[in-house]
């Protein structure tokens, strides 16, 4: 009897998707978010003739500053104003993080079903994309729960921006699916195997996806919902301490997950490398290749912070409907042409 | 009733091609600075600015030159300098102690304008070429007559390297190590 219970417990604990979400998902996403924040600050400082974080650890390039920031966030006092909707105010940031990380469960990083059970799953791209659209809804809830004018305005802006750019992001990310006639991410990666990457074959969709992700995750120069000069911190105005850190980290993790999807769907995933069958060559190496590609995309997005100025809301929406949406539709059309002439 | 908002259409210069070109130019500038950063941050305790002669820094008093004319205290625009009355014994006439006035300074008020140094007829006041002196408390910033005569120690001198900011023809303001 006890043996059966122990076996069941062991099965639950050793269940691969749980480990993937826990280890790769939470720890990896946390590390990536920290590295992304660090790179963003250092890159912006380099371009703007500053040094950036430095004194906390000069040899590591000031990376410990980010760790110290995190410790500060964790130990800071959490102030809950008495005008807010208490339950929604506390629960939503936690839900943001959890729901933000959900799409990782449907993103295969290896073609083998043993190591990554979703690898053989049809519609994995569609499900992952559908799940990435959930967190912005919670941002709207954040604004509502705060019952603060800045929060409400910020949430309104967020809803405008996501309506425009989520559509573009999804259309652009579905373009490879139209070309390969499959929603299976592992199949799409295999289809672009040696160097037939969709970023090269279909640059329009790639550009549209990049632009839409940049905008819809409110990456730094385009942080229209929480622009500091206009609406104090947008939906996060009333938040402090760990709850604010959850919100902020959620944004970075969301961008990283989008970057992972782009790396798989447009940049060929583990493409130049042919995965073997062992745990090292079949699981760890392909995962690392995808991770590095995703990190490069996140770094490229962070770098843009130092080049571009912030768009106004109307400029951003104008660019979405007049520029990005036609671009995405053209990309989709070009994908259909690719499928028709059997280029893939 | 809120005022009626009239949104004017923004006229764009150039077409799509012009937009793409300017975006690529902006990115190129960013990449150029990213690869070859031209940093001008002063890493303060490790580096310090070596000022040119004539810099108006901390003021030091030479008591032997002072003729107690009080011109410095009168010209001081922020009333940082005050005269104090001191009883002195001249070695030549030990039986006749006499009263003299000497300036003292309050660095809480001093604006480092240098009027006192300029107006002193006997050059009894002079500037040191630095400003970065630290005091432990606000009360320490009222210098006594003894403290006013001692040149303060510069904290960055012990571990820092001197640095000069110069204007370069191509790169703009650049930091150079001496």
């Amino acid at each position: 009897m006890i043996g059966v219970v122990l076996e069941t417990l062991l099965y639950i604990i050793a269940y691969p998707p749980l480990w993937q979400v826990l280890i790769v998902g939470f720890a990896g996403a946390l590390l990536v978010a920290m590295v992304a924040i660090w790179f963003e600050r250092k890159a912006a400082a380099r371009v703007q003739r500053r040094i950036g974080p430095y004194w906390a650890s000069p040899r590591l390039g000031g990376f410990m500053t980010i760790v110290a920031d995190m410790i500060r966030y964790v130990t800071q006092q959490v102030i809950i104003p008495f005008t807010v909707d208490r339950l929604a105010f506390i629960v939503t940031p936690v839900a943001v993080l959890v729901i933000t990380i959900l799409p990782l469960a449907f993103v295969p990083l290896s073609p083998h079903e043993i190591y990554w059970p979703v690898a053989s799953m049809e519609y994995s791209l569609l499900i992952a994309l559908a799940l990435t659209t959930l967190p912005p809804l919670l941002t709207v809830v954040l604004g509502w729960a705060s019952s603060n004018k800045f929060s409400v305005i910020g949430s309104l802006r967020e809803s405008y921006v996501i309506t425009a750019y989520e559509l573009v992001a999804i259309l652009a990310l579905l373009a490879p699916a139209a070309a390969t006639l499959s929603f299976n991410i592992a199949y799409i990666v295999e289809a672009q195997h040696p160097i037939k990457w969709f970023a090269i074959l279909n640059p329009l969709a790639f550009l549209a996806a990049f632009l839409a992700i940049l905008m819809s995750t409110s990456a730094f120069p385009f942080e229209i919902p929480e622009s500091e000069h206009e609406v104090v911190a947008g939906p996060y105005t009333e938040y402090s301490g760990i709850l604010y850190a959850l919100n902020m980290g959620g944004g970075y993790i969301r961008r990283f997950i989008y970057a992972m999807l782009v790396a798989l769907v447009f940049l060929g995933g583990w493409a130049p490398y042919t995965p073997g069958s062992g745990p090292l060559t079949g699981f760890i190496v392909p995962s690392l290749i995808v991770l590095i590609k995703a990190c490069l995309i996140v770094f490229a997005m962070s770098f843009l912070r130092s080049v571009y100025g912030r768009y106004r809301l109307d400029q951003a929406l104008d660019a979405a409907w007049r520029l990005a949406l036609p671009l995405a539709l053209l990309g989709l059309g070009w994908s259909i042409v690719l499928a028709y002439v059997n280029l893939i | 009733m809120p005022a009626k908002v009239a949104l004017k259409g923004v006229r764009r210069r150039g077409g799509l091609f012009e937009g793409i070109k300017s975006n690529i130019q902006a990115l190129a500038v960013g990449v150029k600075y990213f690869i070859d950063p031209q940093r001008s941050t002063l890493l303060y305790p490790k580096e310090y600015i070596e000022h040119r002669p004539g810099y108006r820094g901390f003021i030091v008093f030479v008591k032997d030159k002072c003729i107690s004319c009080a011109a410095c205290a009168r010209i001081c625009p922020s009333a940082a300098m005050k005269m104090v009355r001191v009883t002195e014994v001249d070695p030549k006439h030990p039986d006749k102690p006499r009263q003299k006035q000497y300036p003292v300074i309050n660095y809480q008020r001093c604006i480092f304008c240098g009027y006192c140094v300029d107006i002193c007829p006997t050059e009894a006041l002079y500037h040191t070429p630095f400003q970065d002196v630290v005091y432990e408390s606000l009360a320490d910033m009222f210098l006594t007559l003894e403290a006013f005569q001692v040149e303060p120690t510069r904290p960055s001198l012990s571990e820092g390297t001197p640095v000069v900011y110069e204007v370069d023809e191509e790169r703009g303001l650049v930091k150079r190590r001496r």
Side-chain angles (χ1 to χ4, degrees):
Chain A
M1 184 62 199
I2 294 166
V4 174
V5 170
L6 275 178
E7 215 168 82
T8 318
L9 270 178
L10 199 68
Y11 178 72
I12 292 169
I13 290 167
Y15 185 57
L18 190 74
W19 281 96
Q20 281 149 19
V21 170
L22 273 183
I23 305 292
V24 182
F26 275 98
L30 188 71
L31 192 70
V32 165
M34 282 165 70
V35 173
I37 293 170
W38 173 79
F39 180 83
E40 188 171 316
R41 290 178 66 175
K42 286 303 259 192
R46 271 178 94 91
V47 176
Q48 293 163 2
R49 308 183 57 176
R50 295 181 284 115
I51 288 176
Y54 180 76
W55 287 116
S57 56
R59 282 191 194 155
L60 286 172
F63 186 74
M64 283 296 151
T65 311
I66 312 297
V67 179
D69 271 354
M70 283 190 53
I71 292 170
R72 177 176 69 84
Y73 277 132
V74 170
T75 54
Q76 212 174 24
Q77 184 193 5
V78 177
I79 300 165
I80 300 173
F82 60 83
T83 52
V84 300
D85 185 342
R86 260 183 107 79
L87 181 69
F89 189 81
I90 297 167
V91 168
T92 323
V94 184
V96 165
L97 197 72
V98 172
I99 290 176
T100 305
I101 226 146
L102 265 186
L104 269 188
F106 296 93
V107 176
L109 298 184
S110 153
H112 297 303
E113 212 176 323
I114 323 153
Y115 308 118
W116 220 285
V118 269
S120 65
M121 181 184 178
E122 293 296 320
Y123 305 112
S124 53
L125 178 62
L126 211 54
I127 294 172
L129 278 178
L131 285 173
T132 54
T133 59
L134 283 179
L137 297 179
L138 289 171
T139 316
V140 177
V141 176
L142 283 180
W144 184 256
S146 297
S147 72
N148 173 322
K149 57 187 170 187
F150 299 119
S151 307
V152 172
I153 294 171
S155 297
L156 190 70
R157 287 174 168 213
E158 172 88 8
S159 59
Y160 272 130
V161 170
I162 56 166
T163 319
Y165 280 100
E166 292 272 286
L167 175 67
V168 179
I170 289 171
L171 278 179
L173 280 165
L174 284 182
T180 52
L181 309 176
S182 165
F183 285 117
N184 186 348
I185 293 177
Y187 179 78
I188 293 173
V189 173
E190 292 296 324
Q192 38 186 329
H193 193 260
I195 198 78
K196 287 189 293 177
W197 297 358
F198 278 108
I200 300 162
L201 289 181
N202 194 348
L204 294 177
F206 178 63
L207 194 66
F210 191 82
L211 213 109
I213 290 164
L214 205 60
M215 285 293 202
S216 69
T217 54
S218 48
F220 225 105
F222 312 114
E223 73 319 7
I224 293 154
E226 62 249 39
S227 65
E228 205 178 327
H229 338 218
E230 292 159 13
V231 281
V232 182
Y236 317 130
T237 307
E238 296 287 357
Y239 282 92
S240 58
I242 182 75
L243 292 179
Y244 177 74
L246 288 177
N247 282 326
M248 197 185 66
Y252 278 97
I253 291 167
R254 187 152 165 266
R255 204 192 311 173
F256 171 65
I257 286 165
Y258 263 131
M260 224 161 187
L261 278 173
V262 168
L264 282 163
V265 160
F266 282 107
L267 294 183
W270 51 85
Y273 176 77
T274 316
S277 55
L280 182 70
T281 53
F283 175 50
I284 294 174
V285 177
S287 308
L288 274 180
I289 291 173
V290 177
L291 206 69
I292 288 165
K293 282 179 180 174
C295 280
L296 285 179
I297 293 169
V298 170
F299 287 170
M301 286 177 179
S302 302
F303 170 73
L304 292 182
R305 172 190 180 174
S306 51
V307 177
Y308 284 103
R310 212 168 50 72
Y311 280 10
R312 261 184 289 123
L313 180 63
D314 61 320
Q315 286 170 333
L317 293 180
D318 188 82
W321 295 112
R322 281 206 203 149
L323 190 75
L325 186 63
L327 207 63
L329 286 175
L330 272 178
L332 203 61
W334 181 242
S335 274
I336 292 166
V337 172
L338 285 180
Y340 189 72
V341 299
N342 276 329
L343 246 171
I344 293 297
Chain B
M1 271 299 277
K4 198 178 174 187
V5 180
L7 279 177
K8 284 179 188 167
V10 183
R11 273 234 325 271
R12 288 203 180 80
R13 274 178 300 158
L16 188 65
F17 183 72
E18 192 76 15
I20 293 169
K21 197 181 134 196
S22 55
N23 269 299
I24 288 172
Q25 276 175 350
L27 281 173
V29 171
V31 169
K32 185 190 132 202
Y33 274 88
F34 183 70
I35 292 166
D36 177 27
Q38 303 171 6
R39 286 158 170 163
S40 49
T41 307
L42 183 77
L43 290 169
Y44 168 62
K46 300 283 179 200
E47 297 172 345
Y48 62 88
I49 301 176
E50 208 179 53
H51 294 294
R52 289 176 179 76
Y55 182 79
R56 298 200 294 263
F58 266 71
I59 298 158
V60 183
F61 174 54
V62 185
K63 194 180 164 189
D64 294 341
K65 290 185 186 172
C66 184
I67 56 169
S68 304
C69 67
C72 47
R74 254 181 267 139
I75 196 89
C76 186
S78 56
M81 206 167 260
K82 288 271 152 54
M83 304 303 283
V84 288
R85 200 172 285 263
V86 181
T87 313
E88 264 192 350
V89 180
D90 196 357
K92 288 175 189 167
H93 310 282
D95 51 333
K96 270 199 256 173
R98 56 181 184 169
Q99 297 225 314
K100 273 199 87 171
Q101 286 193 332
Y102 291 116
V104 288
I105 196 164
N106 172 10
Y107 276 124
Q108 286 182 33
R109 300 194 67 116
C110 182
I111 57 170
F112 298 94
C113 64
Y115 284 4
C116 49
V117 178
D118 286 350
I119 205 163
C120 185
T122 58
E123 296 183 355
L125 295 165
Y126 68 91
H127 282 299
T128 54
F130 53 86
Q131 266 178 335
D132 48 342
V133 176
V134 183
Y135 291 101
E136 278 182 4
S137 67
L138 281 177
D140 287 352
M141 298 179 83
F142 289 92
L143 294 197
T144 59
L145 189 57
E146 285 72 36
F148 196 22
Q149 293 176 56
V150 182
E151 195 164 309
T153 50
R154 195 175 185 181
S156 53
L157 266 182
S158 55
E159 49 180 337
T161 50
V163 155
V164 176
Y165 281 93
E166 283 171 354
V167 178
D168 192 285
E169 286 283 319
E170 285 175 8
R171 295 163 74 101
L173 194 68
V174 282
K175 187 174 74 174
R176 288 242 168 76
R177 289 194 177 208
R178 272 283 168 84

